[in-house]
Amino acid sequence: MGLGKTAKFYRSNPASAQKHSDTNNSGKGGKFAHTKEYKRKHAQARKRLKPGPGNDASTGPNGKMTIKNSGDNRAANGQGNNPRYA
């Protein structure tokens, strides 16, 4: 099986690949760079709330975690013209 379009693009554009890596995967301030305390707190909240299939543990504007429909939760993260917590 060959490489997909995205993989081919990043292999031929190393500067873009590095920016993608910095903003998503690694380093301080990356999309997935969270402290162990943050991860522990959220794992405990998910365990307490027990969101079922099709639901997420969502952090609201007041900072409290609640169960929310996955589609609504993921649409609330400010993508496109949607403000966060609309």
Side-chain angles (χ1 to χ4, degrees):
M1 194 166 163
L3 292 174
K5 280 197 312 187
T6 305
K8 288 178 187 175
F9 171 81
Y10 284 131
R11 287 198 178 177
S12 62
N13 294 280
S16 292
Q18 184 61 47
K19 181 178 178 185
H20 175 78
S21 177
D22 291 345
T23 59
N24 282 310
N25 306 319
S26 60
K28 185 177 178 186
K31 184 177 182 181
F32 301 110
H34 297 296
T35 63
K36 288 182 180 180
E37 179 187 2
Y38 175 92
K39 291 178 183 179
R40 188 168 44 248
K41 178 179 143 192
H42 283 76
Q44 288 169 348
R46 281 192 299 276
K47 190 173 181 180
R48 179 176 40 84
L49 291 169
K50 297 181 178 120
N55 293 312
D56 285 338
S58 173
T59 306
N62 60 359
K64 291 194 175 197
M65 291 191 86
T66 59
I67 294 176
K68 193 172 184 181
N69 176 279
S70 297
D72 293 341
N73 184 42
R74 294 169 195 187
N77 283 317
Q79 312 308 327
N81 294 324
N82 301 323
R84 190 166 168 88
Y85 305 122

